[in-house]
Amino acid sequence: MGPDIPVLETPRLRLRGHRLSDFDASAAMWADEAVVRHILGRPSSHEESWSRFLRYVGHWVTLGFGYWLVETRAGDFVGEVGFADYRRAIDPPQTGLPEAGWVLCRAMQGQGLATEAVGRMHDWASGRREFGRTFCFIEPAHEASIRVAQKAGYGAPVSGTYDGQPALLMFRG
């Protein structure tokens, strides 16, 4: 029996838990250099995508929150959004704060879908004690993602580093 992951809907989207049958679409998205250029800087291997996919499920089982698969109301794969506790070695440290994140496949970018999905996940988190304050971190050159963060209420940017690279940390709450 898997974790009880809430299904969230917007006028155009459905956010739901990942299923094994979703892996190929997720792995293809993470292997697309255009998608990951500002996230990882390089495409993910099949093995790395599999580990990430399992972390998504593990977050829900262990922490009661995690990432949703995002699909259109017709069932087309859009991407993934959610909250995580990756315990990253970010400077400055953000221990104990849920980290918000989002990624959309190339064909679904530029349509306002990230803003819609990220807004809905924050609606879900609203009023939950562990989400009183959240953060996201973004490569400073990733202007589209910075706009999504700002629309979701993230501000108070702080320059930082992750894995030796510059990062922009933004906070909500």
Side-chain angles (χ1 to χ4, degrees), residues 8 10 13 15 70 81 104 112-122:
L8 310 178
T10 72
L13 303 172
L15 287 65
V70 181
V81 302
L104 271 59
L113 297 174
T115 299
E116 192 172 321
V118 170
R120 183 63 184 98
M121 77 182 202
H122 280 93

Side-chain angles (χ1 to χ4, degrees), residues 51-139:
S51 292
R52 180 183 301 104
F53 194 83
L54 294 177
R55 281 194 311 265
Y56 290 157
V57 175
H59 266 81
W60 285 105
V61 171
T62 307
L63 300 174
F65 62 86
Y67 268 64
W68 288 271
L69 179 123
V70 181
E71 63 186 5
T72 65
R73 298 291 288 268
D76 298 319
F77 180 80
V78 172
E80 298 161 334
V81 302
F83 298 100
D85 181 358
Y86 291 126
R87 302 191 180 199
R88 296 184 198 268
I90 295 174
D91 185 29
Q94 301 305 314
T95 307
L97 286 182
E99 176 187 328
W102 49 89
V103 58
L104 271 59
C105 66
R106 186 184 335 187
M108 297 296 183
Q109 294 177 4
Q111 302 173 45
L113 297 174
T115 299
E116 192 172 321
V118 170
R120 183 63 184 98
M121 77 182 202
H122 280 93
D123 289 345
W124 172 84
S126 174
R128 288 177 167 76
R129 181 178 44 84
E130 65 266 41
F131 295 101
R133 184 166 168 87
T134 59
F135 82 101
C136 63
F137 82 97
I138 301 168
E139 180 186 284

